Amino acid sequence: MKLASLKHGRDGQLVVVSKDLSTYVSAADVAPTLQAALDTWADSEAKLKAIYDDLEAGKISGTAFDPVACDAPLPRAYHWVDGSAYVTHVELVRKARGADLPDSFWTDPLVYMGASDAFIGPRDDIEVQSEDWGIDMEAEVAVITDDVPAGTSVEKARDHIKLIGILNDVSLRNLIPGELAKQFGFYQSKPWTAFSPVFVTPDELGDAWDGTKVSLPLHVVLNGTTIGKPNAGVDMTFDFTQLINHVAKSRSLEAGTVIGSGTVSNKGSKEGSCCLAEVRCLETIADGKPTTPFMSFGDRVEIDMFDAQGQTIFGRIDQKVVQYTPE
């Protein structure tokens, strides 16, 4: 099953989308928004699936689906947790600046709580005031949960994963060092986060989903040139069940919690990067300095994931970097 939210108010209008992303039908009779559906998932899932099955069987006709009309599938969420599950990425970044990686990073997940009051759609512009801030993409996979009780085990965590998507977690790299120096986490360096046109139920991924992670390449293209296409199932030190177990250690998670994997990265692969910071780190290690610039106004970034037949699963994130001028 594939679900999207058309732009409508702050929380979007929930629709059910065909498998090939060509058509959609309204889900208003089941739930007005995705958050409302997740709040009653035990009841709404079967009803949404019935609509999806009828759409696929041709029993109901749909309207042409246009990703430009889409907001993020969950336009605003109560809880957004972003991890750094690919520790090889963290290791590389620290190596480039001559810093050691603490041993605990391999055994204890690294996560932070991000801004979730306004996610943006897959075709929305990346608005930034200054190129000097170091504009970078970060391609990730995310899961969306139902209600997760505090203390949920790794084994039981997989039962709480209800939807899966991909995202662009934009980072302003030149603002990060000053924020981390305060030892209180990211804030100004993490602006808008964009999501794929649709979220899908795990069964849509077939054998590429083992209940804990997605084993497919995540493609990142900048201005028509491939930056990387690492396999999201490789080098994921902490899978999604481990991330859920970690963040639910001392508190429950409400339905609609979004958990990101962090930048997907494959160690030792020429196509293993999903962000420019990692490309620059590799250049620094090899040549003593980076040569690839961060993104500029007018740049276009595309992020996508394909099934075994070469068909997009979540739809393409396709964004342009533009200058934002405060009123």
Side-chain angles (χ1 to χ4, degrees):
M1 178 168 60
K2 300 191 175 187
L3 302 174
S5 292
L6 303 183
K7 290 180 180 293
H8 180 75
R10 292 182 185 270
D11 296 299
Q13 177 186 345
L14 181 63
V15 296
V16 178
V17 184
S18 62
K19 188 178 185 67
D20 64 1
L21 305 186
S22 64
T23 59
Y24 76 89
V25 294
S26 172
D29 289 343
V30 178
T33 67
L34 181 54
Q35 183 61 56
L38 288 163
D39 286 339
T40 58
W41 194 250
D43 178 61
S44 64
E45 180 184 18
K47 295 178 181 179
L48 292 170
K49 182 64 162 57
I51 296 174
Y52 181 69
D53 289 342
D54 285 348
L55 180 61
E56 285 298 290
K59 295 181 179 179
I60 53 178
S61 59
T63 302
F65 181 65
D66 182 5
V68 174
C70 289
D71 209 327
L74 199 59
R76 56 178 175 173
Y78 292 116
H79 197 167
W80 158 231
V81 184
D82 200 12
S84 193
Y86 298 84
V87 179
T88 54
H89 167 74
V90 183
E91 182 182 40
L92 179 63
V93 171
R94 294 177 73 95
K95 181 180 179 181
R97 66 172 190 260
D100 294 328
L101 184 75
D103 291 339
S104 62
F105 279 36
W106 294 103
T107 57
D108 193 36
L110 187 65
V111 303
Y112 75 94
M113 189 180 295
S116 59
D117 55 324
F119 293 140
I120 62 175
R123 304 298 167 87
D124 290 342
D125 290 337
I126 300 170
E127 298 181 327
V128 181
Q129 290 183 45
S130 174
E131 293 177 340
D132 294 338
W133 290 352
I135 310 164
D136 197 1
M137 81 288 283
E138 286 196 64
E140 306 183 18
V141 179
V143 299
I144 298 83
T145 74
D146 61 1
D147 291 309
V148 181
T152 292
S153 67
V154 170
E155 292 74 22
K156 291 184 178 180
R158 70 174 60 201
D159 296 332
H160 294 286
I161 297 172
K162 301 306 176 184
L163 296 169
I164 302 168
I166 59 175
L167 64 114
N168 181 17
D169 179 41
V170 177
S171 289
L172 303 176
R173 297 295 184 184
N174 294 338
L175 299 185
I176 289 177
E179 291 203 296
L180 293 186
K182 298 177 182 179
Q183 299 185 349
F184 211 58
F186 304 112
Y187 196 86
Q188 292 177 336
S189 52
K190 290 291 185 179
W192 307 109
T193 300
F195 285 82
S196 50
V198 303
F199 285 165
V200 310
T201 47
D203 60 291
E204 290 289 334
L205 293 165
D207 293 340
W209 174 253
D210 67 357
T212 69
K213 59 183 181 295
V214 179
S215 293
L216 287 170
L218 184 57
H219 297 249
V220 180
V221 176
L222 179 62
N223 298 327
T225 299
T226 297
I227 296 298
K229 47 182 178 180
N231 191 305
V234 177
D235 294 324
M236 191 178 191
T237 309
F238 304 103
D239 64 38
F240 284 112
T241 61
Q242 292 170 305
L243 292 177
I244 292 171
N245 167 258
H246 179 79
V247 299
K249 178 177 180 177
S250 58
R251 55 158 292 176
S252 60
L253 309 178
E254 298 299 300
T257 293
V258 183
I259 300 177
S261 65
T263 307
V264 177
S265 177
N266 288 168
K267 185 175 182 179
S269 170
K270 293 181 179 179
E271 298 176 331
S273 300
C274 270
C275 67
L276 295 175
E278 185 167 304
V279 173
R280 288 166 58 88
C281 286
L282 289 168
E283 292 170 345
T284 299
I285 293 169
D287 305 318
K289 63 179 181 179
T291 55
T292 298
F294 288 119
M295 290 193 290
S296 301
F297 300 139
D299 283 350
R300 177 187 178 193
V301 60
E302 300 169 83
I303 300 171
D304 212 336
M305 183 175 278
F306 306 97
D307 61 21
Q309 288 72 46
Q311 300 300 309
T312 182
I313 299 170
F314 307 99
R316 186 175 77 254
I317 297 171
D318 189 344
Q319 298 181 277
K320 184 178 180 181
V321 182
V322 300
Q323 185 169 24
Y324 170 74
T325 303
E327 295 181 4

